[in-house]
């Protein structure tokens, strides 16, 4: 079994290439800011979310709170993403973070 650090690196890379550019920006900046503190279960939820949703637009609408996701995707991590997309701190999230 691979360790948590390997899992984080894999999911971080995948968060950068999720179809439409809006999703790439949201997911990669979210993971850059929050990813290191996610639990193994939350990492798994994030992994399932970014790799199992068939429609890029469905994922976008769920993350932005425009649509309600079906039960398998309505997770703690999706709630975190919804909060993240509100950007209450008005952070500049117009570019993907650099990879180390």
């Amino acid at each position: 079994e691979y360790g948590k650090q390997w899992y984080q690196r894999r999911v971080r890379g995948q968060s950068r290439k999720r179809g439409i550019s809006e999703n790439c920006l949201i997911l990669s900046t979210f993971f850059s800011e929050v990813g290191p503190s996610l639990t193994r279960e939350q990492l798994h939820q994030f992994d399932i979310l970014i790799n199992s949703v068939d429609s890029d637009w469905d994922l976008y609408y769920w993350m932005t709170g425009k649509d309600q996701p079906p039960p398998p995707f309505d997770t703690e991590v999706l709630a975190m993403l919804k909060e993240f997309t509100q950007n209450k701190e008005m952070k500049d999230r117009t570019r993907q973070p650099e990879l180390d």
Side-chain angles (χ1 to χ4, degrees), residues 2-18 31 40 43-48 50-51 99:
Y2 294 104
K4 184 178 175 183
Q5 193 174 38
W6 175 87
Y7 200 16
Q8 287 174 319
R9 281 194 308 268
R10 183 180 68 78
V11 174
R12 185 178 104 193
Q14 291 174 339
S15 72
R16 300 173 63 83
K17 300 175 183 174
R18 298 287 37 117
F31 200 80
R40 182 99 174 161
L43 277 171
H44 181 68
Q45 290 175 13
F46 187 77
D47 188 12
I48 296 298
I50 67 172
N51 288 306
L99 288 174

Side-chain angles (χ1 to χ4, degrees), residues 32-46:
S32 178
E33 291 182 30
V34 181
S37 65
L38 295 178
T39 65
R40 182 99 174 161
E41 176 58 31
Q42 291 168 330
L43 277 171
H44 181 68
Q45 290 175 13
F46 187 77

